[in-house]
């Protein structure tokens, strides 16, 4: 199974934010959209970073309440791990586990085409396992 398969079913909705927006604005978007991370995009739509709830908490722990007036660029993760639509789910899961991240922007060349979460990938693996189990039961039942 590939990342493209997941995006086909999930959709390519991308929650983005500008590096110049405040962390307060970003936190409001995270809350409103009920997501755990936002892709940080420049004015041309290129990925500059990713901002997760953890990034915000980390900066708040260092700077206190004033952190919410900081810019997204001050808290975002700049070294963004990405995936391609052709990547296998198992490979993406392994990379996410190794880096201890929960969100993976999906790029086709330079173009951002979606974002997958570790929850999306785990759900896909569970669905795949259930389908295989059903197929095996049907095969055994038909003898």
């Amino acid at each position: 199974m590939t990342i493209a398969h997941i995006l086909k079913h999930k959709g390519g909705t991308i929650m983005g934010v500008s590096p110049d927006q405040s962390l307060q604005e970003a936190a409001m978007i995270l809350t409103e959209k009920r997501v755990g991370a936002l892709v940080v995009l420049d004015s041309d739509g290129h990925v500059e970073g990713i901002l997760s709830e953890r990034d915000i908490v980390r900066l708040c722990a260092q700077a206190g309440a004033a952190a919410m007036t900081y810019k997204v660029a001050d808290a975002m993760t700049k070294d963004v791990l990405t995936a391609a639509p052709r990547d296998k789910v198992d490979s993406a899961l392994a990379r996410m586990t190794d880096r201890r991240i929960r969100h993976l922007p999906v790029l086709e060349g330079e173009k951002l085409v979606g974002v997958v979460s570790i929850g999306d990938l785990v759900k896909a693996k569970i669905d795949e396992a259930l389908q295989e189990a059903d197929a095996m039961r049907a095969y055994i039942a038909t003898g």
Side-chain angles (χ1 to χ4, degrees), residues 25-104:
E25 291 172 301
M28 289 172 64
I29 295 168
L30 287 166
T31 301
E32 184 180 294
K33 301 299 183 182
R34 300 185 68 201
V35 295
L38 300 168
V39 181
V40 183
L41 302 168
D42 67 15
S43 59
D44 294 324
H46 295 110
V47 176
E48 282 197 11
I50 191 162
L51 179 72
S52 70
E53 295 164 326
R54 283 183 189 172
D55 294 324
I56 295 173
V57 169
R58 192 175 298 118
L59 190 57
C60 285
Q62 294 169 354
M68 297 311 284
T69 64
Y70 287 37
K71 300 292 182 199
V72 166
D74 298 324
M76 70 183 190
T77 299
K78 293 176 183 145
D79 182 22
V80 182
L81 184 64
T82 64
R86 69 183 175 284
D87 289 350
K88 300 287 185 191
V89 168
D90 289 338
S91 171
L93 273 170
R95 289 183 303 177
M96 292 172 84
T97 301
D98 288 345
R99 287 273 302 267
R100 296 179 154 248
I101 60 173
R102 292 181 275 184
H103 300 87
L104 201 56

Side-chain angles (χ1 to χ4, degrees), residues 108-120:
E108 194 157 28
E110 294 282 317
K111 184 180 180 203
L112 180 64
V113 295
V115 177
V116 292
S117 71
I118 199 156
D120 297 330

Side-chain angles (χ1 to χ4, degrees), residues 116-131:
V116 292
S117 71
I118 199 156
D120 297 330
L121 302 184
V122 168
K123 180 184 180 312
K125 291 298 292 179
I126 290 170
D127 290 347
E128 184 179 53
L130 290 172
Q131 288 174 0

